[in-house]
């Protein structure tokens, strides 16, 4: 267990503002389990399945009666949890978290779950981003008298929930108290959040923001000892652990499982409106997951089909010899695209699976170096051919440019490029750590200019209407998606230019490279080795 103090300076009200709050934007994975025996192994296994959602840090906290056991640190799940740690994580309920590396997010103090002792002892893991975190932090200090110990909006959310759960003179909790607290969270918190929170001795609650931007599902497993429940970011974690998927937590809804396996749900938002993040289907989620009743795999097949139809419209006399995906996420779309075009599909790149995703790596030099370490071309699939490379999206363009150059060096005659998503032109504010808007290759450029910037002979992007249709086809009841990175329309309605300017300053390469470790000095008390 690690307890950390970061910047324990004076909490003067004039200092608590955007400039004084180093906001953290992370794509994460969450899981919570209430079982009939120790859940440490299931939590570990679930986090490994969700590892694609976060490779920077991992954490698990378990509860055995009134006792909590915590282990969290930077690193992959397999590196953070050793046998000695697993033995110490006792209890029949617990929550876990994996996190992606982001600007200002390098200390293990930012690893989740977070814990606050009042009231009752609450642990929380969060996927998403609060767009009013700075305002909430100010209010927590001024009105609620709560101290925020890190720069994470997840700790802010935890303290809001804890404050709303605290009733004067009430020494016990029931499900209605918890649902009322979640309703208050919805009233106070803006942005995206999928949450699992464990209340010591009582149970686990999962809830989702009123727009349902970030995904979260729950499942059930019947055992001879009683019913067990799991809450997780993606259905693949539910399936892999042998639970039966029940459904998604609805936007604004809360699910509570008590320590004995009692189960209850309630809608806690006044006007929930489903607008899930479409980028989950494009890139982040595993293809074997089902999100909001939509198969990610089938959505990507439909993306490939729609993209092929556009290519045939724009370039009816194309001379493509071979379709090659950029591994891994684009494989599904590329396979269907090649089938629709009637063109050969080949694997032309071999991926080193021990290198992280590049568009969120801090610093352009590190990013450029990592692309060459990440992929290697199979020359015989390129030599003398007109190649169509297919990727799920183009964010910064750095990776695309280098991959196109690799294809040319491998002997390709012409290199065309297709993106299963539209141009990324706007920042994400709901939990995906994307670059500064000025570093997005799609910002301020048309398709031809982007093709020139990345070195492609021609470039075809997916149309936004086709992307939305490819995703919602799996569940027509989902009428809207958050597509803000493509069209700049933010579904929560509270994103101002001042806020965008604020995150712009946090996300630029210069800001990432100039981060001074002394500004985030950490005092760590190691209770266990």
């Amino acid at each position: 267990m690690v307890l950390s103090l970061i910047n324990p300076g004076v909490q003067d009200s004039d200092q608590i503002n955007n400039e004084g709050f180093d906001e953290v934007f992370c794509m994460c994975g969450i899981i919570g389990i209430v079982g009939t025996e120790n859940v440490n192994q299931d939590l570990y296994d679930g986090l490994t399945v969700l590892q694609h959602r976060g490779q920077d840090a991992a954490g698990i906290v378990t509860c055995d009666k009134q006792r909590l056991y915590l282990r969290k640190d930077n690193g992959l799940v397999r590196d953070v949890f050793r046998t000695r740690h697993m033995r110490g994580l006792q209890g029949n309920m617990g929550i876990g978290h994996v996190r992606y590396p982001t600007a200002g997010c390098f200390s293990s103090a930012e690893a989740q779950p977070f814990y606050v002792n009042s009231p009752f002892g609450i642990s929380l893991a969060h996927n998403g981003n609060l767009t009013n975190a700075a305002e909430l932090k100010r209010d927590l200090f001024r009105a609620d008298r709560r101290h925020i110990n890190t720069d994470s909006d997840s700790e802010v959310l935890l303290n809001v929930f804890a404050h709303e759960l605290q009733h004067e003179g009430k020494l016990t909790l029931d499900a209605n108290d918890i649902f009322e607290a979640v309703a208050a969270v919805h009233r106070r918190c803006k942005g995206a959040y999928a949450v699992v929170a464990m209340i010591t001795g009582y149970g686990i609650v999962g809830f989702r923001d009123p727009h349902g931007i970030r995904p979260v599902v729950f499942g059930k497993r019947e055992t001879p000892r009683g019913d067990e429940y799991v809450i997780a970011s993606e259905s693949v974690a539910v399936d892999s652990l042998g639970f039966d998927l029940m459904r998604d937590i609805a936007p604004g809804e809360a699910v509570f499982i008590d320590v004995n396996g009692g189960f209850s749900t309630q809608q806690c938002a006044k006007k929930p409106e489903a607008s899930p993040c479409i980028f989950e289907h494009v890139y982040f989620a595993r293809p074997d997951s089902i999100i909001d009743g939509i198969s990610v795999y089938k959505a990507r097949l439909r993306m490939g089909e729609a993209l092929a139809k556009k290519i045939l419209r724009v370039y009816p006399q194309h001379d493509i010899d071979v379709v090659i995906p950029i591994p891994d996420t684009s494989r599904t779309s590329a396979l269907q695209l090649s089938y629709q075009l009637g063109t050969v599909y080949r694997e032309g790149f071999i991926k080193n699976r021990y290198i992280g995703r590049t568009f969120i790596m801090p610093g352009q030099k590190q990013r450029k170096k990592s692309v060459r370490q990440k992929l290697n071309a199979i020359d015989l699939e390129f030599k003398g051919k007109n190649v169509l490379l297919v990727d799920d999206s183009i964010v910064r363009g750095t990776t695309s440019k280098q991959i196109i150059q690799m294809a040319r060096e491998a002997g390709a005659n012409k290199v065309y490029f297709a993106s299963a998503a539209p141009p990324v032109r706007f920042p994400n504010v709901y939990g995906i750590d994307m670059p500064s808007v000025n570093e997005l290759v799609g910002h301020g450029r048309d398709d031809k200019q982007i093709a020139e910037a990345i070195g492609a002979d021609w470039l075809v992007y997916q149309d936004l209407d086709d992307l939305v249709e490819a995703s919602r086809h799996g569940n027509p009841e989902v009428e809207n998606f958050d597509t803000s990175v493509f069209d700049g329309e933010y579904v929560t309605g509270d994103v101002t230019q001042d806020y965008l300017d604020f995150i712009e300053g946090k996300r630029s390469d210069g800001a990432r490279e100039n981060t001074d470790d002394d500004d985030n000095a950490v005092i760590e008390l190691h209770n266990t080795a």
Side-chain angles (χ1 to χ4, degrees), residues 7 126 143 254 335 348 395 453 498:
N7 291 338
H126 162 224
L335 185 61
V395 180
D498 286 345

Side-chain angles (χ1 to χ4, degrees), residues 53-72:
R53 301 188 66 86
Q55 300 174 6
D56 177 53
I60 291 174
V61 58
T62 59
C63 179
D64 185 13
K65 298 178 182 177
Q66 296 296 319
R67 198 78 176 268
L68 296 179
Y69 301 91
L70 170 67
R71 167 64 182 172
K72 62 178 182 177

